[in-house]
Amino acid sequence: SQQGEEDPQALSIQEGENATMNCSYKTSINNLQWYRQNSGRGLVHLILIRSNEREKHSGRLRVTLDTSKKSSSLLITASRAADTASYFCATDDLNAGKSTFGDGTTLTVKP
Amino acid sequence: ETGVTQSPTHLIKTRGQQVTLRCSSQSGHNTVSWYQQALGQGPQFIFQYYREEENGRGNFPPRFSGLQFPNYSSELNVNALELDDSALYLCASSQGEEETQYFGPGTRLLVL
């Protein structure tokens, strides 16, 4: 079973709107990362947030992490059609050299 | 472009055959991880190699094996292919086992 679960599974918005995706996980982590994937191609790393951080920004991206609730959120502001993709969160477990991914949120941004 | 390359890009095999997938890590990276991604799902961790040694393995049977070379490139071997092995296989490289991973474009394997 997956460690991370993204919510919602699918999200459709208009260009210019904000998109928020959530991720929940089960075990203690070192850090959490968000990735984007276009049409079954390779994953593009978006942002890494460490377990001792609460919020991080990168351009139009804002990520929060709440370790007490074992959850994270990714906010994309002023969305563009080019943001259409699947978004995955991945947790890096404390005791294993691996990343555990959820099944992703499919975002569609309509022009 | 991440600097991580994978070959081949696509592959068709029949059940029972063996396959070798290759990955060249980004310059300066000593860690390679392999993932299997079935259609509509997130990537599943297969194993990780750090400085030529296996450093963690996911829930995959022994017919999935790997290798990392002194130049830190890596191979994924799958024996006795099954239909359910059809998936996108992704490798990711990083500098150290806990740092940001950079993914290659993947190899799409179809088992008939």
Side-chain angles (χ1 to χ4, degrees), chain B residues 23-72:
Chain B
C23 172
S24 291
S25 58
Q26 187 168 321
S27 178
H29 286 183
N30 55 17
T31 303
V32 173
S33 303
W34 285 93
Y35 294 84
Q36 179 195 67
Q37 186 179 22
L39 202 60
Q41 297 182 18
Q44 297 257 12
F45 176 75
I46 303 175
F47 43 58
Q48 182 185 80
Y49 279 85
Y50 172 63
R51 293 186 174 182
E52 302 179 59
E53 297 287 331
E54 188 176 290
N55 181 44
R57 187 180 180 93
N59 189 27
F60 280 82
R63 59 190 185 82
F64 285 78
S65 63
L67 199 58
Q68 188 178 31
F69 300 98
N71 67 355
Y72 301 131

Side-chain angles (χ1 to χ4, degrees), chain A residues 20-35:
Chain A
T20 300
M21 289 159 266
N22 302 296
C23 168
S24 60
Y25 57 93
K26 297 173 184 173
T27 64
S28 296
I29 61 172
N30 282 329
N31 55 53
L32 185 145
Q33 305 189 59
W34 284 91
Y35 292 85

Side-chain angles (χ1 to χ4, degrees), chain A residues 21-72:
Chain A
M21 289 159 266
N22 302 296
C23 168
S24 60
Y25 57 93
K26 297 173 184 173
T27 64
S28 296
I29 61 172
N30 282 329
N31 55 53
L32 185 145
Q33 305 189 59
W34 284 91
Y35 292 85
R36 185 185 76 210
Q37 185 177 40
N38 291 82
S39 301
R41 301 175 67 181
L43 279 76
V44 175
H45 182 262
L46 296 176
I47 199 164
L48 179 153
I49 186 166
R50 300 195 184 278
S51 59
N52 61 353
E53 297 176 312
R54 292 295 167 260
E55 187 171 313
K56 208 161 181 179
H57 297 255
S58 177
R60 294 184 295 113
L61 306 180
R62 173 178 169 257
V63 168
T64 63
L65 178 64
D66 187 336
T67 52
S68 66
K69 294 182 179 178
K70 290 186 168 59
S71 67
S72 174

